[in-house]
């Protein structure tokens, strides 16, 4: 009899209480929702970190290019003109427009701060000038300056040999 009772419960003759199965289903769905929420948040945070990294390297490369352009300059005017030429070249600006001229003129304090930092001890001035420029650009254009430096990779056809 005891054996029949045990075998019967394994065959499903004694159905498990519905409330217990409902608890298990609720726990499983809750775990699924928590995991999904975590995955979405992690993906969002990764995207933010990825953009921060990209902007940091664009900032570094751009400012290195500006530093290289103004290094041989013997005066502030030549340094600023060299920085403007480098800026135009890096952005592919072959012609001026009112918007481009505004960007260039607002970048002048950055170039001046870099040129004036001959001893390398005024980096706070450069940092402040660059931050002011970035803020101005963001407020007036509604986007981050560093998005201008995105380089789209052209689609290349796959060739099988």
């Amino acid at each position: 009899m005891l054996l029949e009772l045990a075998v019967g419960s394994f065959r499903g003759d004694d159905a498990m209480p519905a409330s217990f199965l409902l608890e298990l289903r609720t726990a499983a769905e809750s775990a699924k929702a928590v995991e999904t929420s975590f995955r979405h948040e992690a993906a969002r945070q990764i995207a933010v970190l990825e953009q921060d990294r990209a902007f940091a390297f664009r900032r570094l490369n751009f400012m290195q290019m500006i530093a290289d352009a103004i290094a041989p300059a013997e005066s502030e005017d030549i340094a600023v003109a060299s920085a403007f030429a480098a800026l135009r070249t890096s952005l592919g600006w072959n012609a001026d427009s009112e918007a481009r001229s505004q960007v260039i003129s607002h970048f002048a304090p950055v170039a001046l701060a870099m040129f004036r930092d001959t001893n390398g001890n005024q980096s706070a001035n450069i940092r402040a000038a660059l931050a002011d420029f970035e803020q101005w650009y963001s407020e007036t254009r509604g986007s981050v300056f560093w998005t201008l430096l995105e380089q789209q990779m052209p689609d290349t056809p796959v060739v099988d040999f």
Side-chain angles (χ1 to χ4, degrees):
M1 169 101 162
L2 186 56
L3 184 58
E4 287 179 10
L5 183 58
V7 171
S9 66
F10 285 117
R11 288 191 314 229
D13 294 344
D14 269 340
M16 294 177 98
S19 62
F20 178 70
L21 291 176
L22 182 58
E23 288 175 21
L24 293 178
R25 181 176 308 281
T26 302
E29 292 299 325
S30 177
K32 178 182 175 184
V34 168
E35 177 192 9
T36 300
S37 175
F38 177 80
R39 286 181 185 275
H40 288 299
E41 180 60 22
R44 187 195 65 74
Q45 288 179 348
I46 288 170
V48 167
L49 294 172
E50 179 181 34
Q51 185 177 56
D52 288 348
R53 176 197 40 80
F55 288 169
F57 276 100
R58 288 177 196 164
R59 186 179 292 113
L60 167 64
N61 294 335
F62 182 81
M63 295 307 292
Q64 181 64 60
M65 177 199 58
I66 296 297
D68 293 345
I70 67 173
E74 296 179 8
S75 71
E76 288 182 351
D77 290 340
I78 293 172
V80 170
S82 298
F84 290 171
L87 186 147
R88 283 185 180 104
T89 300
S90 70
L91 296 174
W93 292 354
N94 297 325
D96 282 337
S97 68
E98 184 178 336
R100 289 176 178 176
S101 294
Q102 287 176 348
V103 170
I104 290 168
S105 68
H106 279 85
F107 189 76
V110 179
L112 280 173
M114 289 185 77
F115 180 75
R116 291 175 180 163
D117 187 24
T118 55
N119 299 328
N121 57 3
Q122 298 177 7
S123 62
N125 295 341
I126 301 170
R127 206 172 9 264
L130 184 58
D132 289 347
F133 171 74
E134 289 179 8
Q135 182 177 354
W136 168 82
Y137 189 90
S138 179
E139 289 173 356
T140 59
R141 301 295 190 265
S143 65
V144 178
F145 174 74
W146 308 111
T147 58
L148 292 178
L149 299 172
E150 286 180 356
Q151 296 180 1
Q152 299 295 327
M153 297 301 290
D155 291 334
T156 55
V158 177
V159 179
D160 291 331
F161 291 99

